[in-house]
């Protein structure tokens, strides 16, 4: 496996590192507050002005057509610099790859540039009270009317929905379990939004209530009834590389090792194990994007979510009660959700057993 970087890749790394060194803000308020959400939008706009918000996208949509290797380099530098989490991640990492694959040119032109500049921030509206990881069991419906559809139903645990401007989600357009789903894009202005308080009292999620919300035909992504197929493309992005690049975990592991430098040997060993695992995930990913190693999104999802939880749990052990006043605590609370969101790890292990290892159901 060739892990040497070309002169162009090294120059790209230097450019990104220098820009971040000059522009990364001090700690922003939580994006799960109105104040923090707006502060994070301003940071996204600054990134976009430097053509660094969506480096792998085509230039006409605000990117610079970076290769997968360059994208991984950007991510390594981004997280190593201490830059903020991405408030637009649902849009740029989940919806955008799906829009590139299934969206019409008009939809791409309408949404991608605004997404890159954080003028629109998208919420993921998939889970329902009786259908969490089992998307095919959802019951929210879309009924056909002249010129479009009326959306009815209830979504819950919709990420970023408390303050976002738009949402994307699946609605049932026929009773056929998998082939009766259609993928809709919609502004949230006509949707009832009920923020959900998290452990720390902030609102990173919300319930969405649809009571005959009209959506025109041009906001259907793909064809009616293709929702399941299109959603599987989105979940691959969610579980895989685009949402959780190795640079994020490597930066966390390196900070953890520094934090554990004066701890007892048992804690230092745990920190070293985390760094080794983060580096292993990094090497695996570089190999995967060079096409030399096989990889599945489900295996990666289980690995990074459990690594993230182990790293932050160790930070809690190292810091004790003082952790509550540090960013490590916010990270710990978020890491608790890792094995649950993007499809629970139990679901992922079933997928690995059946589709990767070929074990019987």
């Amino acid at each position: 496996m060739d892990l040497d970087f070309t002169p162009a890749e090294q120059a790209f790394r230097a450019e990104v590192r220098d820009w971040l060194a000059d522009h990364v803000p001090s700690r922003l308020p939580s994006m799960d507050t109105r104040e923090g959400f707006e502060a994070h939008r301003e940071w996204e706009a600054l990134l976009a002005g430097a053509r660094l918000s969506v480096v792998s996208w085509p230039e006409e949509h605000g990117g610079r057509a970076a290769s997968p290797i360059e994208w991984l380099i950007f991510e390594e530098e981004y997280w190593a610099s201490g830059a903020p989490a991405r408030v637009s991640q649902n849009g740029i990492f989940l919806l955008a790859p799906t829009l590139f694959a299934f969206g019409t040119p008009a939809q791409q032109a309408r949404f991608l540039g605004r997404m890159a500049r954080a003028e629109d921030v998208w919420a993921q509206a998939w889970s329902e009270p009786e259908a969490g990881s089992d998307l095919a069991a959802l019951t929210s419906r879309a009924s056909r009317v002249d010129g479009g559809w009326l959306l009815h139903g209830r979504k819950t645990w919709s990420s970023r929905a408390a303050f976002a401007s738009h949402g994307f989600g699946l609605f049932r357009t026929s009773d056929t379990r998998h082939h009766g789903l259609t993928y809709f894009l919609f502004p949230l202005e006509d949707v009832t939004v009920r923020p959900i308080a998290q452990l720390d009292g902030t609102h990173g999620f919300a319930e969405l209530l649809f009571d005959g919300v009209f959506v025109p035909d041009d906001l259907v992504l793909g064809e009616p009834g293709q929702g399941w197929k299109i959603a599987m493309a989105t979940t691959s992005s969610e579980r895989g590389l685009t949402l959780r690049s190795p640079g994020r975990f490597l930066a966390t592991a390196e900070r953890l090792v520094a934090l554990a430098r004066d701890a007892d040997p048992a804690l230092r060993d745990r920190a070293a194990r985390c760094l080794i695992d983060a580096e292993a995930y990094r090497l695996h990913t570089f190999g995967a994007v060079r096409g030399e190693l096989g990889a599945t999104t489900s295996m990666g999802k289980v690995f990074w979510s459990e690594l993230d939880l182990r790293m932050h749990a160790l930070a809690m052990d190292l810091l004790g009660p003082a952790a509550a006043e540090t960013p490590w605590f916010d990270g710990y609370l978020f890491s608790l959700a890792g094995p649950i969101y993007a499809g629970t790890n139990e679901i992922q292990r079933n997928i690995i057993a059946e589709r990767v290892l070929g074990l019987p159901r």
Side-chain angles (χ1 to χ4, degrees), residues 189-217:
E189 58 189 8
D190 296 325
V191 179
T192 300
V193 178
R194 292 179 179 169
I196 298 173
Q198 303 175 111
L199 284 173
D200 61 359
T202 61
H203 301 104
F205 305 92
E207 277 189 310
L208 302 179
L209 287 86
F210 299 83
D211 183 17
V213 174
F214 176 75
V215 177
D217 284 326

Side-chain angles (χ1 to χ4, degrees), residues 9-241:
E9 290 165 348
Q10 292 171 357
F12 178 70
R13 182 186 292 279
E15 177 196 343
V16 172
R17 180 179 294 174
D18 290 346
W19 189 90
L20 290 168
D22 291 338
H23 294 89
V24 168
S26 56
R27 187 181 180 189
L28 299 180
S30 169
M31 72 173 77
D32 297 333
T33 65
R34 171 59 72 184
E35 175 193 12
F37 185 84
E38 295 303 329
H40 280 76
R41 284 187 62 196
E42 292 176 7
W43 164 244
E44 293 287 339
L46 189 64
L47 279 172
R51 295 175 57 239
L52 291 175
S53 66
V54 288
V55 295
S56 61
W57 290 14
E59 294 185 4
E60 63 265 33
H61 297 303
R64 52 171 69 191
S67 69
I69 295 293
E70 289 172 328
W71 183 79
L72 287 169
I73 288 171
F74 169 81
E75 288 285 299
E76 286 190 354
E77 295 301 323
Y78 187 89
W79 294 109
S81 73
R86 307 293 300 273
V87 73
S88 294
Q89 68 177 20
N90 288 330
I92 61 178
F93 295 152
L94 302 185
L95 177 59
T98 315
L99 268 173
F100 281 120
F102 297 96
T104 64
Q107 289 173 332
Q108 294 172 2
R110 178 176 176 181
F111 293 122
L112 288 170
R114 293 182 59 82
M115 188 189 298
R117 298 185 295 272
E119 295 169 357
D120 298 334
V121 177
W122 290 77
Q124 184 183 26
W126 284 19
S127 295
E128 297 185 2
E130 302 302 325
S133 295
D134 186 6
L135 276 179
L138 60 82
T139 59
S140 291
R141 303 190 70 88
S143 54
R144 197 78 175 91
V145 296
D146 186 27
W149 304 78
L150 293 179
L151 306 184
H152 293 270
R154 178 183 171 197
K155 302 287 184 178
T156 193
W157 303 117
S158 295
S159 307
R160 302 279 84 78
F163 308 113
S165 60
H166 290 69
F168 57 95
L170 296 178
F171 289 77
R172 186 162 295 288
T173 49
S174 80
D175 291 329
T176 307
R177 180 174 162 85
H178 288 90
H179 297 292
L181 301 172
T182 299
Y183 201 123
F184 288 93
L185 313 173
F186 45 84
L188 287 172
E189 58 189 8
D190 296 325
V191 179
T192 300
V193 178
R194 292 179 179 169
I196 298 173
Q198 303 175 111
L199 284 173
D200 61 359
T202 61
H203 301 104
F205 305 92
E207 277 189 310
L208 302 179
L209 287 86
F210 299 83
D211 183 17
V213 174
F214 176 75
V215 177
D217 284 326
D218 62 3
L219 291 187
V220 173
L221 186 57
E223 297 295 327
Q226 280 191 327
W228 179 260
K229 172 185 174 182
I230 300 171
M232 291 305 98
T234 304
T235 57
S236 293
S237 298
E238 184 177 29
R239 295 164 187 167
L241 185 61

Side-chain angles (χ1 to χ4, degrees), residues 195-326:
I196 298 173
Q198 303 175 111
L199 284 173
D200 61 359
T202 61
H203 301 104
F205 305 92
E207 277 189 310
L208 302 179
L209 287 86
F210 299 83
D211 183 17
V213 174
F214 176 75
V215 177
D217 284 326
D218 62 3
L219 291 187
V220 173
L221 186 57
E223 297 295 327
Q226 280 191 327
W228 179 260
K229 172 185 174 182
I230 300 171
M232 291 305 98
T234 304
T235 57
S236 293
S237 298
E238 184 177 29
R239 295 164 187 167
L241 185 61
T242 55
L243 182 60
R244 292 292 178 264
S245 65
R248 174 179 179 143
F249 304 110
L250 189 60
T252 301
E254 289 174 344
R255 294 189 181 105
L256 188 64
V257 167
L259 188 68
R261 192 169 305 280
D262 298 323
D264 67 54
L267 294 175
R268 292 204 306 269
D269 284 350
R270 287 171 60 189
R273 181 73 252 175
C274 290
L275 180 60
I276 291 168
D277 287 349
E279 182 65 24
Y281 181 52
R282 173 180 182 260
L283 295 176
H284 173 86
T285 304
F286 271 103
V289 300
R290 288 185 190 278
E292 298 177 7
L293 290 176
T296 71
T297 56
S298 293
M299 292 171 65
K301 196 274 173 172
V302 171
F303 192 88
W304 59 248
S305 61
E306 295 185 351
L307 171 61
D308 199 35
L309 184 55
R310 279 192 289 120
M311 289 195 292
H312 286 90
L314 176 54
M316 297 302 100
D317 291 342
L318 288 164
L319 291 167
E325 304 301 323
T326 71

